[in-house]
Amino acid sequence: MKEKFKTVITAGLDLFFPPFCASCRKAAEDSNRPLCGKCFSQLKFMKTPYCTCCGRSFSSGHENHLCGDCLKSSWNFDRARSIVVYEDIIAGLIHELKYSGSMCGLKAFQDLSRHSPVRDDLSTADLILPVPLHIKRLRQRGFNQALLLAKSLFPDAGAKIHYDILFRQTNTPTQTGLSGRERRKNLKNAFIVKKASEISGRNILIIDDVFTTGSTVNECAGVLKKKGCKRVEILTICRAEKILP
Ligand SMILES: [Zn+2]
Ligand SMILES: [Zn+2]
């Protein structure tokens, strides 16, 4: 009866406030889907085959294996996965979330996450940590988009999501336009861990919006590992990269 009532209310709301696509703002076909069919079909989901460690896609083959970079050098994290490839639609939604405070994309990201196979690759996390913002940037923006993403992607995780363990102690300039080496230098000693006893021997999942070179999440994983956590995995909404042949 309750469900029936809900359906009637939703239908009524749709009549007066027609649902619109979170990306193109045109009328959406289905009020339960945040993106219209056209926008959704343009997204490229990260799917096998990809690198077993960093999650980078391969354009051919069937089996997952380590990519050349992961064979040559080792990350501080154990595994990284992204939901979709970084492209215009996702870039627009993330930009709105970060700079205009629009929460419109959050429902879309939650929906994409439900359609993504990469979630099955991740271990069960004891703790979910958003990549932190420096306090100055947090005050300017008013929220940490990675924390909103963590809550949105894991709506039932509740007490597992912590924003009082990993902190950014230096207000690093924007990473945009920097090379991998410059990014690593920029981020050196940028993060600290508080309440180290809470992470000892635990499986940690770090959440961020974009995986570009991986420097940020790698630096976070490094400080967490030094403080004794067992495993660090990464989940980002998207990955900015060329798909390898
Ligand atoms: Zn659309
Ligand atoms: Zn790799």
Side-chain angles (χ1 to χ4, degrees):
M1 190 64 194
K2 219 175 175 183
E3 279 307 305
K4 214 172 176 184
F5 181 67
K6 242 179 166 176
T7 313
V8 171
I9 294 286
T10 309
L13 284 172
D14 286 355
L15 193 66
F16 292 103
F17 306 101
F20 60 88
C21 169
S23 175
C24 69
R25 301 285 192 266
K26 288 184 182 154
E29 303 90 341
D30 181 348
S31 59
N32 294 314
R33 302 297 307 276
L35 293 174
C36 71
K38 194 178 168 202
C39 289
F40 188 84
S41 68
Q42 288 174 51
L43 300 173
K44 285 191 185 140
F45 281 86
M46 302 291 289
K47 55 181 193 301
T48 54
Y50 43 57
C51 172
T52 42
C53 177
C54 75
R56 173 182 293 185
S57 287
F58 304 116
S59 61
S60 58
H62 300 287
E63 297 288 320
N64 295 338
H65 55 87
L66 284 176
C67 73
D69 285 350
C70 289
L71 279 169
K72 275 188 280 180
S73 59
S74 57
W75 296 99
N76 295 320
F77 55 77
D78 297 277
R79 180 168 281 184
R81 294 290 181 266
S82 305
I83 295 170
V84 287
V85 175
Y86 183 80
E87 283 183 306
D88 288 352
I89 289 176
I90 287 297
L93 292 171
I94 286 182
H95 190 274
E96 270 191 45
L97 172 66
K98 276 167 90 163
Y99 300 105
S100 317
S102 162
M103 302 295 143
C104 213
L106 280 174
K107 273 197 178 316
F109 299 137
Q110 191 178 50
D111 189 57
L112 297 184
S113 161
R114 288 197 193 108
H115 286 83
S116 167
V118 302
R119 289 275 293 261
D120 297 338
D121 276 353
L122 300 171
S123 312
T124 304
D126 299 311
L127 300 167
I128 300 175
L129 311 182
V131 168
L133 289 180
H134 186 265
I135 187 71
K136 268 192 186 161
R137 199 168 294 179
L138 184 63
R139 281 180 187 149
Q140 279 165 359
R141 193 173 289 173
F143 57 88
N144 176 359
Q145 75 280 359
L147 174 61
L148 297 180
L149 287 171
K151 288 180 175 173
S152 179
L153 300 185
F154 296 90
D156 303 321
K160 278 189 183 180
I161 301 173
H162 289 260
Y163 51 86
D164 55 353
I165 289 178
L166 187 60
F167 290 86
R168 194 185 284 250
Q169 62 179 349
T170 50
N171 196 10
T172 45
T174 177
Q175 301 275 80
T176 312
L178 298 183
S179 68
R181 181 179 289 190
E182 288 166 334
R183 280 172 188 242
R184 285 192 292 278
K185 203 172 151 203
N186 201 18
L187 287 164
K188 203 162 168 42
N189 302 321
F191 300 99
I192 52 163
V193 172
K194 293 184 182 170
K195 301 186 179 177
S197 60
E198 291 196 25
I199 66 162
S200 179
R202 314 301 297 277
N203 283 343
I204 292 181
L205 179 65
I206 296 178
I207 305 291
D208 205 4
D209 46 9
V210 188
F211 185 113
T212 308
T213 63
S215 308
T216 304
V217 287
N218 196 48
E219 195 63 30
C220 291
V223 295
L224 291 164
K225 282 272 173 89
K226 269 190 197 148
K227 294 291 181 186
C229 74
K230 187 171 142 202
R231 190 172 171 84
V232 179
E233 296 186 355
I234 314 293
L235 179 64
T236 64
I237 294 297
C238 56
R239 178 149 186 149
E241 62 154 347
K242 279 188 284 188
I243 294 176
L244 293 178

